[in-house]
Amino acid sequence: MKQSAYEAAVGLLSRRDHGEKELRSKLLSKGFAFEEVTDALTRCKEYGYLDDSRYCELMLRNGINKGWGPQRIQQSLKQKGIADSRIQEMFLDLDIDWFEQARVTAQRKFGSQVQRTKDRQVEMKEKAKRFRFLQYRGFDFEQSNYALEQLSL
């Protein structure tokens, strides 16, 4: 007997949380009809199995635990199909010091003390490398600069 879209959705949600857009995409790629997928998602929402707010919070916490900055987390949430308004709402409710988060991330990656060298060019290359790392992680210029100053580089 063929599995229904609802059963497939519940199976996917039992493994991990999904955003609505992500779950819709997965179900459609499995060959389910659009109407059947829409009905399945509606049922999942009614039963509380599918909740974009909960999913957004989970993704936000995971990003923070991974040492990501606000820009990287926002980009990840957008890619998962979370609405900009919901992302902004989540960030407004968030009580986190992104400058301190950048410092902790840099310290975890590079250690607490910087080895001073007489070669200024080598020192500048190292600072640029660390700065790029923090920007890749999603921290802005000011946050990255603060973190590196705290590590005395």
Side-chain angles (χ1 to χ4, degrees), residues 82-99:
I82 304 298
D84 286 338
S85 60
R86 184 158 300 179
I87 294 171
Q88 294 308 317
E89 182 181 312
M90 294 296 292
F91 272 85
L92 287 175
D93 293 341
L94 192 62
D95 184 28
I96 185 166
D97 182 354
W98 291 110
F99 290 90

Side-chain angles (χ1 to χ4, degrees), residues 11-87:
L12 289 167
L13 289 168
S14 70
R15 290 182 198 94
R16 71 169 179 88
D17 254 340
H18 289 72
E20 183 177 350
K21 181 180 177 184
E22 180 185 26
L23 188 57
R24 180 182 302 280
S25 175
K26 283 187 178 187
L27 293 173
L28 290 172
S29 71
K30 290 180 180 269
F32 293 108
F34 184 81
E35 297 80 23
E36 187 181 6
V37 169
T38 301
D39 291 342
L41 295 179
T42 302
R43 282 180 64 190
C44 286
K45 282 192 244 176
E46 287 172 359
Y47 290 121
Y49 303 151
L50 180 63
D51 183 356
D52 272 357
S53 293
R54 182 180 63 224
Y55 180 67
C56 190
E57 278 184 43
L58 178 70
M59 293 292 295
L60 189 61
R61 279 195 311 269
N62 285 343
I64 290 169
N65 290 338
K66 288 179 182 179
W68 290 357
Q71 295 167 346
R72 176 93 181 258
I73 293 171
Q74 287 176 345
Q75 179 186 27
S76 175
L77 290 169
K78 284 180 185 179
Q79 287 175 342
K80 296 289 185 180
I82 304 298
D84 286 338
S85 60
R86 184 158 300 179
I87 294 171

Side-chain angles (χ1 to χ4, degrees), residues 77-127:
L77 290 169
K78 284 180 185 179
Q79 287 175 342
K80 296 289 185 180
I82 304 298
D84 286 338
S85 60
R86 184 158 300 179
I87 294 171
Q88 294 308 317
E89 182 181 312
M90 294 296 292
F91 272 85
L92 287 175
D93 293 341
L94 192 62
D95 184 28
I96 185 166
D97 182 354
W98 291 110
F99 290 90
E100 187 61 20
Q101 177 77 3
R103 187 196 63 76
V104 169
T105 300
Q107 185 173 355
R108 217 182 300 151
K109 173 73 174 172
F110 302 111
S112 59
Q113 282 301 76
V114 175
Q115 291 181 344
R116 289 285 179 187
T117 162
K118 291 183 180 181
D119 188 350
R120 181 83 173 133
Q121 191 173 11
V122 170
E123 203 172 297
M124 293 306 292
K125 281 184 179 179
E126 183 64 21
K127 183 175 182 177

